[in-house]
Amino acid sequence: DAMLRVIAPLAKRLVAYAPGNPRALPAADLAEAARRHLPAQAAVEAADGPADAIARTCGSADAGDVVVAFGSLYGVAAIKRAWQALGA
């Protein structure tokens, strides 16, 4: 919740995913927690994994948008691996 309280006021969209760590919060639960902190007009959705989160996010980002991945070290590492696998 602490990270969400800081980031949420700046977001217009949040795509949640679980990084595959057994201690990770399920993506749907994270998305629900995010809804409590995001502006009412912000879109929130749960992805099936890091590659799906990247596809959903980058597929709808406009040219001037800033895309940020944040969370645990496990989560950021999962995003990095998925991004590299896409050849980005």
Side-chain angles (χ1 to χ4, degrees):
D1 273 359
M3 279 192 249
L4 286 171
R5 278 194 302 272
V6 172
I7 296 294
L10 306 172
K12 68 177 186 181
R13 184 163 185 241
L14 185 133
V15 179
Y17 69 96
N21 182 314
R23 294 179 48 200
L25 189 65
D29 293 350
L30 179 56
E32 186 58 38
R35 282 186 184 91
R36 293 193 304 264
H37 298 288
L38 288 162
Q41 71 276 12
V44 180
E45 60 188 282
D48 291 329
D52 185 39
I54 290 170
R56 289 171 185 247
T57 303
C58 293
S60 66
D62 294 327
D65 287 346
V66 175
V67 176
V68 177
F70 70 98
S72 70
L73 292 176
Y74 292 106
V76 174
I79 285 289
K80 181 180 178 184
R81 284 191 303 274
W83 185 258
Q84 290 170 333
L86 292 171

